[in-house]
């Protein structure tokens, strides 16, 4: 029996009871100062193989060949072998999901496969990850066609369903956000560019695509939602027993705005506004939602940072206008989202042009939207024309995509909706970093996304690497927190996610440390258990 102990974590050990000699590896440290007791001699090895990756919800990667058929949920069949199942699955594997470049069998869409070869009957269910999938009808049609082409098949029954992905580590989120699959921020960082118009019309487009949708108006100083929609009940209600907020609804979309709180527009300082937004967003009974669209207030200050920290934003849509000044402000917002690990998936350039006398005119110039796309690598750009009806529909309380669903503006928003659905699905594949504290080994565990790798960190190391103003002088860079100020046996009291970019760690002295995921992955590792290498 070989036992190796790490002194700075007395409960963490590696054991082997077999005869062959084992050589264990530790990843190279980035700092020796933060763990002075680490004196055991380990041999350095390369990182473990990271070929296996995390897969999205309901998209289980199945092995190829006959073994794959056994992995699919198969109902009662008159066959004793997997031949018929293989035929059906091979046929269905011809259908490729264009977003992932993978067939629908490998994606894990095929469920409840039932086959009766004697009668030539095949039935199965295609379970998608969003009811708003823009090509669900294509999937259904192709599935019928490819299976019906099998020589022994006489009847095919395809059922479509959706099992939306849930937020990763939902138990760590506020109760009101645990049943929301995707949260999309619509932001401009500059007022008056039509951001609220884009947010509302995008939300109703997603609803028309079959999704369950909600809108959260995060602008407390000048809420726009009460003007742009006309719900019958224009006041939010409280559930006195649960102390929660019941949203109002309009045309099937759930709505929450400070303007529906009976307060009009707020006159209060920033910290109070952040608290109001937090309460409205996290204590609302949103229920099961596929998409929550957040109409962000302009700017990049406390309110915007608060929103990015308390909710796991899936993606952001940026709204701009052709003027250069608009681009300057929008660039600030894109950089903010980049730092907070929120991907910007589309740019909407509003008030681009109008047509008259058979010509197209650009009264505010051209290029702001394309400049955002080129400079920041945002993949999709959508141009909205100057239309009196678009402005009038917002003022009348009826979104343009509802009043004129076949018009040019509605087609643009339909394309935007498809883009948002597809991009959110891709983003969901990337599992967020999980940070937890394991009391049994007295180590902070970091699970790296897109990998099966886990990093173990000494709590004292994490605490000593705090980069806030309380630990490091912001002007001189001088280290104020000394090494000896942190006890070697310190343990965190609580770890909570802050959006997609960091966790908040509460320590026994009451200090709340904001630890970005990127920083955690570069700290000295307490121990990293690698696969043993048998020596000859």
């Amino acid at each position: 029996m070989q036992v190796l102990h790490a002194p700075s974590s007395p409960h963490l050990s590696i054991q082997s009871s077999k005869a062959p000699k084992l050589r264990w590896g530790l990843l190279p440290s980035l700092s020796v100062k933060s763990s002075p007791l680490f004196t055991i001699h380990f041999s350095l090895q390369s990182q473990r193989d990271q070929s296996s990756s995390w897969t999205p919800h309901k998209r289980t990667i199945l092995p190829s060949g006959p073994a794959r058929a056994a992995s699919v949920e198969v109902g009662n069949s008159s066959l004793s072998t997997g031949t018929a199942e293989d035929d059906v699955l091979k046929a269905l594997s011809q259908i490729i999901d264009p977003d992932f470049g993978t067939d629908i069998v490998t994606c894990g869409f095929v469920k409840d496969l039932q086959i009766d070869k004697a009668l030539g009957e095949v039935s199965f269910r295609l379970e998608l990850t969003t009811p708003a999938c823009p090509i669900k009808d294509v999937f259904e049609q192709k599935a019928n066609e490819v299976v019906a082409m099998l020589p022994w098949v006489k009847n095919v029954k395809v059922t479509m369903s959706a099992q939306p992905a849930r937020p990763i580590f939902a138990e760590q989120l506020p109760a009101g956000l645990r049943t929301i699959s995707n949260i999309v921020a619509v932001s401009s960082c500059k007022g008056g560019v039509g951001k609220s118009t884009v947010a509302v019309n995008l939300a109703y487009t997603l609803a028309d695509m079959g999704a369950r949708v909600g809108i959260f108006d995060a602008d407390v100083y000048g809420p726009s939602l009460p003007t742009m929609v006309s719900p019958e009940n224009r006041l939010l209600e409280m559930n006195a027993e649960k102390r929660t907020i019941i949203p109002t609804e309009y045309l099937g979309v759930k709505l929450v705005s400070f303007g529906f709180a009976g307060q009009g527009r707020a006159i209060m300082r920033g910290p109070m506004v952040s608290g109001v937004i937090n309460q409205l967003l996290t204590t609302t009974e949103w229920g099961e939602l596929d998409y929550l669209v957040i109409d962000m207030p302009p700017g990049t200050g406390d309110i915007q940072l608060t929103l990015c920290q308390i909710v796991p934003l899936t993606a952001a849509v940026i709204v701009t206008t052709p003027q250069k000044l608009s681009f300057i402000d929008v660039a600030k917002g894109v950089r903010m989202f980049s730092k907070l690990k929120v991907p910007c998936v589309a740019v909407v350039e509003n008030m681009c042009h109008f047509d008259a006398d058979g010509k197209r005119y650009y009264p505010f110039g051209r290029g702001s939207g394309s400049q955002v796309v080129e400079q920041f690598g945002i993949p999709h750009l959508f141009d909205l024309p100057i239309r009196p009806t678009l402005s009038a529909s917002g003022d009348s309380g009826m979104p343009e995509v509802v009043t004129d669903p076949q018009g040019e503006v509605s087609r643009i928003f339909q394309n935007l909706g498809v883009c948002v659905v597809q991009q959110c699905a891709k983003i969901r594949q990337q599992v967020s970093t999980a940070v937890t504290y394991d009391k049994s080994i007295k180590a902070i565990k970091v699970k790296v996304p897109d990998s099966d790798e886990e990093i173990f960190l000494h709590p004292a190391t994490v605490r000593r690497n705090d980069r806030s103003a309380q630990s490091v002088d912001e002007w001189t860079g001088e280290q104020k927190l000394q090494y000896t100020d942190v006890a070697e046996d310190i343990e965190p009291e609580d770890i909570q996610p802050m959006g997609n970019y960091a966790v908040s760690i509460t320590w026994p002295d009451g200090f709340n440390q904001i630890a970005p995921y990127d920083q955690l992955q570069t700290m000295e590792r307490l121990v990293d258990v690698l696969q043993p290498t048998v020596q000859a």
Side-chain angles (χ1 to χ4, degrees):
M1 174 77 72
Q2 180 186 16
V3 181
L4 300 180
H5 293 281
S8 53
S9 182
H11 300 283
L12 189 61
S13 62
I14 307 168
Q15 301 183 0
S16 173
S17 58
K18 298 297 181 180
K21 295 182 180 179
L22 302 180
R23 183 175 61 192
W24 299 87
L26 176 73
L27 292 182
S29 296
L30 298 178
S31 168
V32 295
K33 179 179 178 182
S34 57
S35 187
L37 299 180
F38 235 133
T39 56
I40 295 180
H41 296 285
F42 291 88
S43 60
L44 296 180
Q45 297 181 356
S46 60
Q47 297 188 22
R48 76 177 75 177
D49 177 28
Q50 300 182 6
S51 58
S52 59
S53 60
W54 293 98
T55 56
H57 297 264
K58 298 298 180 184
R59 293 174 182 260
T60 306
I61 301 300
L62 305 177
S64 58
R68 179 171 63 185
S71 300
V72 179
E73 297 180 12
V74 181
N76 295 328
S77 173
S78 62
L79 298 177
S80 59
T81 68
T83 304
E85 286 90 339
D86 289 344
D87 289 346
V88 173
L89 293 174
K90 184 176 181 180
L92 291 173
S93 65
Q94 302 175 58
I95 305 173
I96 304 299
D97 185 322
D99 295 331
F100 304 105
T102 308
D103 65 86
I104 63 173
V105 177
T106 303
C107 286
F109 291 167
V110 182
K111 305 289 183 181
D112 304 331
L113 176 59
Q114 297 187 8
I115 298 174
D116 190 326
K117 192 170 183 179
L119 298 177
E121 295 180 348
V122 177
S123 67
F124 54 89
R125 177 168 54 90
L126 294 184
E127 183 180 81
L128 308 180
T129 57
T130 173
C133 177
I135 54 173
K136 56 188 174 184
D137 293 338
V138 175
F139 280 152
E140 183 177 7
Q141 178 185 347
K142 291 293 185 181
N144 269 297
E145 291 177 357
V146 296
V147 175
M149 291 177 65
L150 295 174
W152 54 270
V153 174
K154 299 178 181 178
N155 183 35
V156 182
K157 181 180 179 181
V158 183
T159 305
M160 303 298 294
S161 67
Q163 181 62 43
R166 287 286 165 260
I168 303 163
F169 316 115
E171 67 279 358
Q172 300 179 14
L173 296 175
L177 304 179
R178 293 177 184 174
T179 54
I180 300 174
S181 300
N182 300 280
I183 303 179
V184 180
V186 178
S187 175
S188 67
C189 297
K190 181 176 179 60
V193 299
K195 169 182 51 59
S196 296
T197 298
V198 172
V200 170
N201 282 277
L202 171 61
Y204 280 92
T205 298
L206 293 172
D208 185 62
M209 294 171 66
R212 297 163 298 181
V213 183
I215 306 175
F216 178 69
D217 184 356
D219 194 344
V220 173
Y221 292 118
S224 303
L225 200 57
T227 303
M228 305 194 72
V229 295
S230 304
E232 183 176 345
N233 181 11
R234 300 186 64 84
L235 286 176
L236 297 174
E237 298 179 1
M238 292 289 296
N239 185 325
E241 182 178 345
K242 297 181 179 179
R243 300 184 65 83
T244 55
I245 299 171
I246 302 174
T248 186
E249 287 193 26
Y250 180 60
L251 300 179
V253 175
K254 295 184 178 181
L255 313 168
V256 171
S257 171
F258 188 74
F260 292 138
Q263 301 293 325
R265 301 186 178 197
I267 302 176
M268 60 182 74
R269 295 186 182 274
M272 295 177 63
V273 173
S274 298
V276 169
I277 289 176
N278 191 351
Q279 181 181 6
L280 285 173
L281 180 59
T282 61
T283 63
T284 293
E285 295 182 15
W286 291 107
E288 300 276 342
L289 290 184
D290 300 303
Y291 301 92
L292 175 62
V293 178
I294 298 183
D295 183 4
M296 298 280 285
T300 55
D302 289 344
I303 299 173
Q304 290 75 14
L305 292 175
T306 297
L307 281 168
C308 292
Q309 290 174 351
I310 63 177
V311 300
L313 294 177
T314 309
V317 174
I318 305 299
V319 183
T320 185
T321 54
Q323 296 95 329
K324 181 179 180 181
L325 183 60
S326 179
F327 167 77
I328 294 173
D329 288 340
V330 165
K332 296 177 184 177
V334 175
R335 293 189 184 100
M336 176 191 73
F337 284 121
S338 176
K339 288 183 179 180
L340 300 178
K341 306 301 181 185
V342 178
C344 298
V345 298
V347 175
V348 178
E349 188 172 13
N350 195 18
M351 298 179 281
C352 284
H353 53 76
F354 66 90
D355 296 330
D357 302 326
K359 296 181 181 180
R360 176 157 291 184
Y361 296 90
Y362 297 85
F364 303 116
R366 305 176 66 175
S368 175
S370 58
Q371 192 175 357
V372 175
V373 170
E374 293 170 5
Q375 183 166 331
F376 297 102
I378 300 175
H380 304 284
L381 173 64
F382 299 90
D383 295 340
L384 281 176
I386 299 174
R387 287 290 173 84
T389 56
L390 183 57
S391 176
S393 62
D395 294 338
S396 67
M398 180 76 72
E400 173 79 355
V401 297
V402 176
T403 59
D404 186 13
Q406 303 300 322
E408 179 187 3
V409 171
S410 294
R411 288 196 298 271
I412 296 171
F413 276 107
Q414 288 166 7
N415 293 333
L416 175 61
V418 169
C419 170
V420 168
V421 169
Q422 292 175 334
Q423 294 300 313
C424 284
K426 291 180 181 180
I427 293 168
R428 296 289 311 185
Q429 284 188 299
Q430 303 171 357
V431 180
S432 298
T433 304
V435 182
T436 56
Y437 179 64
D438 192 330
K439 291 184 68 69
S440 64
I441 60 175
K442 296 187 181 300
I444 292 176
K445 183 168 63 176
V446 181
K447 184 179 294 183
V448 181
D450 301 320
S451 169
D452 61 353
E453 182 184 12
E454 288 183 341
I455 299 171
F456 296 92
L457 304 175
H458 195 307
T461 300
V462 177
R463 179 67 179 86
R464 289 169 182 146
N465 277 274
D466 176 55
R467 305 304 298 169
S468 69
Q470 290 184 257
S471 303
V472 179
D473 189 292
E474 293 182 291
W475 297 101
T476 65
E478 179 184 357
Q479 185 75 35
K480 296 195 294 185
L481 178 68
Q482 299 303 311
Y483 182 84
T484 54
D485 293 339
V486 179
E488 194 68 25
D489 60 351
I490 192 172
E491 296 184 61
E493 291 187 343
D494 187 44
I495 300 178
Q496 293 293 333
M498 297 194 68
N500 297 328
Y501 80 105
V503 290
S504 173
I505 306 176
T506 303
W507 298 101
D509 59 359
F511 178 71
N512 288 321
Q513 177 182 354
I514 306 302
Y517 293 137
D518 290 346
Q519 182 190 19
L520 290 173
Q521 293 185 47
T522 60
M523 288 184 189
E524 176 197 2
R525 303 180 186 184
L526 174 64
V527 68
D528 190 277
V529 183
L530 302 181
Q531 295 295 330
T533 302
V534 179
Q535 293 181 340

